[in-house]
Amino acid sequence: VYVGRRRIYCTTEEITRDNVIEVLNALLPMHTLNSMEEEYLYWYRRGVQPVLDRTKQVRPEINNRVVENHAAEIVAFKNGYFLTKPAFYVARRDEKDVNNRIKTLNEMLYLSGKQNVDNAVTDWFHTVGIGSLYVEPYQDSECPVRVYALDPRSSFVAYSRRPGNEPVLGVNMVISGRTDSTTEITFDVYTRDRYFKLRGGTTGMVVTGDPVIGTAYEVMDEDINRLGDVPIVEYQYENSRMSSFEAVMPLLNAINM
């Protein structure tokens, strides 16, 4: 049963080089659960649906395995409805100075390629319930910022339990190597004022049914977070963090049958 992605919370007040591994390892199991569900929803939208594994006890020679992919249809409709034209900012106050600065901001975001990033993030949260956007400073007077869409299966944000649920840290994972039983992972961990680069790995595989366990075990690098805030932003389709077709998946499976 798919009922939306779990929101990840962190109760640690201050994250330092001394405790970042412990904090991250405490959060990874919850992200792993989300990631496995997102993986299923991603491929479900692509057409890998239960009807393809259908078996019949009676007249097994007559066994139609046809995917009527309404999940992809729903996502395409939602994408088109939500972003009929590029997103841009407008000023609440009709003042010349404010309007000029808003126009400059919109021009910077256009040059940064944010329109394409918005499309990718929207596609992700309609497909798996969450979309992730990454922001970083860039040395260009005309466009001092760059934005990128991250894969939510390998990135997440952890939030405070305090009122307001402010972001505490953002994590992006990159596969850096593989062996027969282990996948080596590099973790980029961001707090409001620090950046940590960690080495770790995962064991297990979804396709074989072996439990997937992720672990960080070494701090490779540490630096100042010059942005001054968590640079990974999560967008959600709705409050339950479900995808656009998740609530009707039983019906979609019944249509295929």
Side-chain angles (χ1 to χ4, degrees):
V1 179
Y2 288 78
V3 293
R5 313 293 74 73
R6 303 151 191 84
R7 197 169 194 185
I8 301 174
Y9 293 98
C10 177
T11 57
T12 304
E13 294 290 339
E14 184 178 3
I15 299 172
T16 66
R17 187 184 185 98
D18 295 330
N19 67 2
V20 64
I21 292 178
E22 179 183 357
V23 171
L24 180 58
N25 285 338
L27 302 176
L28 282 175
M30 188 67 72
H31 169 69
T32 300
L33 291 175
N34 283 342
S35 180
M36 289 190 292
E37 293 179 356
E38 290 162 0
E39 178 80 356
Y40 179 84
L41 292 168
Y42 172 81
W43 288 107
Y44 188 99
R45 180 259 180 103
R46 294 280 297 270
V48 182
Q49 300 182 15
V51 70
L52 298 177
D53 297 321
R54 179 189 184 195
T55 59
K56 286 184 62 181
Q57 300 298 324
V58 179
R59 302 288 297 274
E61 70 277 6
I62 303 176
N63 186 11
N64 298 318
R65 298 188 182 96
V66 179
V67 174
E68 195 168 339
N69 198 347
H70 290 291
E73 180 183 359
I74 291 170
V75 172
F77 171 80
K78 292 290 186 178
N79 287 349
Y81 181 81
F82 188 77
L83 283 178
T84 54
K85 58 182 180 181
F88 57 90
Y89 293 97
V90 295
R92 291 192 304 125
R93 292 181 294 167
D94 189 15
E95 298 179 9
K96 183 176 180 180
D97 182 53
V98 174
N99 287 329
N100 288 338
R101 281 186 284 177
I102 292 296
K103 289 179 181 179
T104 301
L105 175 61
N106 283 326
E107 183 66 16
M108 289 178 179
L109 293 177
Y110 173 79
L111 294 174
S112 74
K114 189 172 183 292
Q115 176 184 349
N116 293 330
V117 172
D118 286 341
N119 289 336
V121 170
T122 301
D123 190 73
W124 272 118
F125 69 63
H126 282 149
T127 301
V128 304
I130 300 173
S132 296
L133 180 144
Y134 172 74
V135 184
E136 68 176 6
Y138 189 72
Q139 294 183 348
D140 186 333
S141 59
E142 293 187 356
C143 182
V145 65
R146 284 286 187 267
V147 292
Y148 306 93
L150 301 179
D151 187 333
R153 295 171 296 179
S154 58
S155 61
F156 68 91
V157 176
Y159 300 88
S160 169
R161 281 287 189 182
R162 292 182 176 276
N165 303 126
E166 292 292 326
V168 175
L169 80 163
V171 181
N172 186 48
M173 293 168 277
V174 179
I175 295 176
S176 53
R178 290 183 187 272
T179 65
D180 292 339
S181 58
T182 305
T183 300
E184 296 178 1
I185 302 289
T186 298
F187 298 91
D188 293 317
V189 181
Y190 300 89
T191 67
R192 288 185 179 276
D193 55 3
R194 306 301 295 174
Y195 160 72
F196 304 96
K197 185 175 184 179
L198 277 58
R199 178 182 288 120
T202 61
T203 59
M205 296 183 66
V206 175
V207 295
T208 62
D210 297 328
V212 177
I213 301 173
T215 307
Y217 50 75
E218 180 187 357
V219 178
M220 301 169 61
D221 193 15
E222 180 184 2
D223 200 356
I224 298 172
N225 178 5
R226 290 170 175 80
L227 191 64
D229 207 341
V230 177
I232 299 176
V233 181
E234 280 187 336
Y235 293 81
Q236 58 191 49
Y237 172 59
E238 43 98 86
N239 288 337
S240 298
R241 297 160 74 93
M242 299 175 72
S243 77
S244 58
F245 58 84
E246 193 168 341
V248 296
M249 280 172 57
L251 180 60
L252 301 184
N253 291 333
I255 292 173
N256 283 338
M257 301 298 282

